[in-house]
């Protein structure tokens, strides 16, 4: 579908190619440049490329060549320096070629290219473009070809990058170039997609929620493409040079003990543990990690490199809820340098409290939901035993109200005053704690100093790793928040 009003704006003289060079001249120059690249592939003849540019009397390389380095720039960021490293599979991946070329994305969706170690940028120009491979997560040649129907799919990206009249079209289901041109902050001169990628990836012009919905695609290749798009756009700009890794799913049950061999582990506490390209453990039912660096697809996981790298003798990865006493046992059993990966924010808080009561400088709790790379001699996946059911509070008990704390969620906080028995306790000196994972630490002085804690069933898992079991009671099922 063509949007005529936007097309009129783009063709009314308010937009011009910068610098003003005819589209046909740029496209023909681009064709000749790629001929030279094919002739020298997998190497590259840099003087020949500059000779082509001189033949066409162009001062810079065409936009669709996807290289920002200036021809006259003699610095490491100039065109000559960039091209001199283009054939090196390692060095070429370190170059920031263009806002619309992502070597990390190209590797992720083309694992054959990544495995071969060839230059992603060079491969795209010699083979990938003609094969329909995309240079960037927000460019989908198949999607774009529907709008630009008069152009072959293999040529549609070149034509889009070269022709301002086509800039009004969306390049992917996940970006809104059209609305950005009509009502956004478009400067009226440069490519709107380039502007979005450079300045507005966190704006409404990029549909991250739709990406997440679409990522469990039945097609493994498409799922990988969408998953990579989610990771790269959510972690911009830090993801510009971060590798994307593919993790095969684990086979069989998680083993509770580790093998004493040095290995590097990618850890997102509470979500994912992987090593040597395979999932070791993960949190079922969660699609994307809290820090948006790991995403679960149908048959595999994708991650974008992020966070710090550390080393330790032991790595303990916790995979479920547990009581405070069990956390104390874990801490007390560790002799050498150890990192503990908590299953929840509440566990991280509880572990920190346990460590405050121990002389254990060799133990560190990893931050919940944040990716860390850990090189460890021994990794242990701990699946704690299911906590014993808590006793149900009996209203016939005669404890002093001032010794009682009532723990409710925000959802049920207003209903506390509507229940006569809860209202009575509160009026006589009981404390009311409105708790969730984000604020539980503010309630610790009360929760750890009341002999009796009455908690709604939905919050039991959160609270039982913070306070001792003996003080915890579940509100009767007839009360708020405890319907079974």
């Amino acid at each position: 579908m063509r949007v005529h009003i936007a097309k009129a704006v783009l063709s009314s003289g308010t937009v011009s190619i910068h610098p003003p060079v005819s589209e046909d001249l740029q496209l023909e120059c681009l064709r000749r440049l790629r001929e030279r690249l094919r002739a020298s592939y997998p190497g590259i003849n840099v003087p020949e490329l500059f000779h082509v540019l001189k033949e066409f009397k162009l001062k810079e390389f065409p936009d669709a060549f996807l290289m920002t380095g200036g021809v006259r720039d003699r610095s490491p960021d100039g065109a000559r320096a960039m091209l001199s490293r283009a054939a090196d599979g390692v060095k070429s991946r370190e170059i920031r070629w263009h806002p619309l070329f992502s070597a990390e994305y190209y590797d992720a969706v083309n694992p054959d290219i990544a495995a071969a170690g060839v230059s992603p940028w060079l491969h795209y120009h010699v083979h990938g473009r003609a094969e329909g491979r995309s240079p960037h997560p927000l460019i989908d040649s198949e999607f774009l070809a529907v709008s630009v129907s008069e152009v072959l799919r293999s040529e549609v990206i070149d034509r889009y990058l070269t022709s301002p009249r086509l800039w009004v079209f969306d390049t992917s289901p996940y970006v809104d170039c059209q609305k950005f041109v009509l009502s956004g902050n478009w400067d009226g001169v440069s490519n709107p997609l380039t502007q979005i990628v450079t300045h507005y990836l966190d704006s409404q012009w990029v549909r991250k929620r739709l990406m997440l919905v679409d990522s469990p695609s039945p097609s493994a290749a498409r799922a990988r493409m969408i998953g990579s798009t989610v990771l790269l756009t959510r972690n911009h700009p830090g993801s510009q040079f971060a590798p994307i890794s593919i993790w095969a799913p684990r086979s069989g049950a998680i083993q509770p003990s580790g093998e004493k061999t040095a290995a590097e582990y990618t850890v997102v506490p509470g979500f994912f543990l992987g090593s040597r390209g395979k999932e070791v453990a993960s949190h079922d039912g969660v699609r994307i990690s809290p820090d948006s660096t790991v995403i679960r697809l149908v048959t595999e996981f994708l991650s974008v490199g992020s966070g710090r790298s550390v080393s330790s003798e032991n790595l303990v990865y916790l995979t479920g809820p547990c009581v405070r006493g069990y956390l104390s046992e874990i801490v007390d059993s560790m002799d050498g340098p150890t990192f503990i990966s908590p299953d929840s924010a509440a566990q991280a808080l509880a572990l920190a409290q346990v460590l405050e009561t121990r002389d254990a400088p060799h133990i560190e709790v990893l931050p919940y939901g944040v990716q860390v790379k850990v090189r460890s001699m021994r990794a242990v996946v701990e699946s704690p035993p299911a906590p014993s059911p808590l006793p149900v509070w009996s209203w016939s008990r005669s404890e002093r109200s001032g010794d009682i704390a009532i723990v409710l969620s925000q959802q049920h906080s207003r209903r506390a005053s509507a229940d006569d028995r809860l209202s009575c306790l509160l009026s006589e000196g009981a404390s009311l704690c409105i708790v969730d994972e984000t604020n539980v630490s503010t309630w610790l002085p009360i929760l750890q100093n009341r002999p009796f804690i009455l908690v709604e069933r939905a919050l039991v898992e959160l609270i039982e790793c913070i306070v001792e079991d003996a003080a915890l009671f579940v509100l009767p099922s007839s009360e708020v928040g405890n319907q079974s």
Side-chain angles (χ1 to χ4, degrees):
M1 176 179 178
R2 298 182 183 282
V3 182
H4 296 293
I5 184 171
K7 184 177 179 181
V9 171
L10 289 172
S11 59
S12 64
T14 60
V15 176
S16 60
I17 299 175
H18 185 71
V21 178
S22 76
E23 296 173 19
D24 290 342
L25 186 66
Q26 286 198 75
L27 291 170
E28 180 59 24
C29 179
L30 191 63
R31 186 185 66 80
R32 292 279 295 279
L33 288 169
R34 287 180 176 143
E35 283 181 355
R36 296 293 187 271
L37 290 177
R38 279 192 293 272
S40 58
Y41 187 79
I44 186 168
N45 190 322
V46 177
E48 282 195 5
L49 299 178
F50 278 85
H51 181 71
V52 170
L53 206 62
K54 187 175 180 180
E55 281 184 12
F56 283 83
K57 299 180 180 179
L58 295 181
K59 295 182 179 179
E60 300 293 344
F61 286 99
D63 291 339
F65 203 50
L66 296 174
M67 187 180 67
T68 56
V71 169
R72 296 183 179 181
D73 187 349
R74 296 290 179 174
S75 76
D77 296 323
R80 194 174 296 275
M82 293 171 73
L83 289 171
S84 68
R85 292 174 284 165
D88 188 307
V90 175
K91 292 180 179 179
S92 66
R93 285 173 167 80
E94 300 171 351
I95 298 172
R96 186 177 180 179
W97 288 100
H98 189 278
L100 299 184
F101 185 85
S102 168
E104 295 74 28
Y105 174 76
Y106 200 78
D107 277 344
V109 298
N110 303 295
D112 54 331
I113 306 306
V118 299
S119 163
W121 181 86
L122 194 53
H123 183 275
Y124 171 76
H125 283 296
V126 175
H127 299 294
R129 176 198 58 87
E131 295 168 354
R133 308 195 195 219
S134 171
H136 189 274
L138 293 180
I139 299 179
D140 184 333
S141 61
E142 186 174 350
F143 182 88
L144 185 57
V146 174
S147 299
V148 191
S149 56
E150 71 274 13
V151 179
L152 293 174
R153 179 184 169 187
S154 60
E155 304 290 338
V156 72
I157 295 177
D158 286 350
R159 191 61 63 91
Y160 167 79
L161 294 172
T162 305
S163 306
R165 64 187 177 84
L166 303 180
W167 289 352
V168 68
F169 295 121
D170 295 341
T171 57
S172 151
Y174 311 114
V175 66
D176 225 335
C177 294
Q178 184 181 119
K179 288 185 179 179
F180 181 72
V181 166
L182 294 174
S183 56
N185 296 322
W186 183 49
D187 62 13
V189 176
S190 59
N191 184 294
L193 180 60
T194 301
Q195 269 192 267
I196 290 172
V197 168
T198 305
H199 301 294
Y200 303 107
L201 272 180
D202 291 327
S203 72
Q204 71 269 31
W205 315 117
V206 180
R207 307 183 186 115
K208 300 182 183 70
R209 188 181 300 273
L210 180 58
M211 296 177 202
L212 198 56
V213 171
D214 286 352
S215 60
S217 166
S219 163
R222 181 158 182 80
R224 188 175 290 175
M225 180 195 78
I226 300 169
S228 301
T229 305
V230 174
L231 297 178
L232 289 172
T233 53
R234 284 199 174 197
N235 291 281
H236 181 83
S239 62
Q240 286 181 329
F241 297 107
I244 290 181
S245 301
I246 302 167
W247 306 88
R250 69 174 183 267
S251 57
I254 300 173
Q255 298 301 315
S257 61
E259 184 178 341
K260 200 157 186 176
T261 55
E264 183 174 282
Y265 296 86
T266 293
V267 190
V268 181
F271 182 76
F272 179 80
L273 174 66
S275 182
R276 299 186 178 99
K278 291 185 178 181
E279 169 204 5
V280 177
S282 66
H283 196 298
D284 293 335
V286 181
R287 290 284 315 288
I288 191 166
S289 63
D291 63 350
S292 297
T293 64
V294 183
I295 186 170
R296 180 195 302 273
L297 304 181
V298 176
T299 60
E300 60 194 3
F301 289 81
L302 293 183
S303 72
V304 61
S306 179
R308 58 180 178 142
S309 296
V310 296
S311 297
S312 186
E313 184 177 329
N314 302 303
L315 169 64
V316 180
Y317 183 88
L318 299 176
T319 63
C322 60
V323 298
R324 184 183 175 93
Y326 185 83
L327 296 177
S328 298
E329 291 177 10
I330 291 288
V331 169
D332 293 339
S333 67
M334 293 293 112
D335 293 328
T338 301
F339 285 104
I340 301 179
S341 170
D343 186 65
S344 65
Q347 267 189 20
L349 179 62
L351 283 164
Q353 292 177 318
V354 170
L355 288 174
E356 287 179 2
T357 66
R358 306 292 199 276
D359 181 19
H362 59 287
I363 297 177
E364 180 178 338
V365 180
L366 296 175
Y368 168 71
V370 178
Q371 185 182 139
V372 181
K373 287 182 173 57
V374 180
R375 185 165 185 80
S376 177
M377 289 295 295
R378 179 172 179 264
V380 179
V381 178
E382 285 285 353
S383 300
S388 301
L390 296 178
V392 178
W393 177 257
S394 172
W395 293 111
S396 63
R397 297 177 69 111
S398 58
E399 275 73 17
R400 192 172 67 89
S401 296
D403 290 336
I404 296 173
I406 300 168
V407 180
L408 298 176
S409 64
Q410 183 65 46
Q411 177 184 359
H412 298 112
S413 59
R414 293 182 180 179
R415 296 177 60 187
S417 59
D419 184 275
D420 291 341
R421 287 169 294 192
L422 292 179
S423 296
C424 182
L425 285 177
L426 292 172
S427 67
E428 293 176 354
S431 300
L432 176 62
C433 306
I434 309 303
V435 172
D436 59 34
E437 278 202 351
T438 64
N439 71 5
V440 66
S441 61
T442 63
W443 295 106
L444 286 179
I446 294 176
L447 294 176
Q448 294 181 337
N449 290 283
R450 294 294 187 276
F452 306 100
I453 310 294
L454 281 56
V455 57
E456 68 172 83
R457 194 172 301 278
L459 292 173
V460 167
E461 182 179 319
L462 174 63
I463 300 302
E464 66 183 349
C465 68
I466 300 294
V467 301
E468 296 298 336
D469 295 11
L472 280 176
F473 296 85
V474 179
L475 280 168
S477 59
S478 60
E479 307 304 323
V480 293
N482 294 289
Q483 289 74 18
S484 55

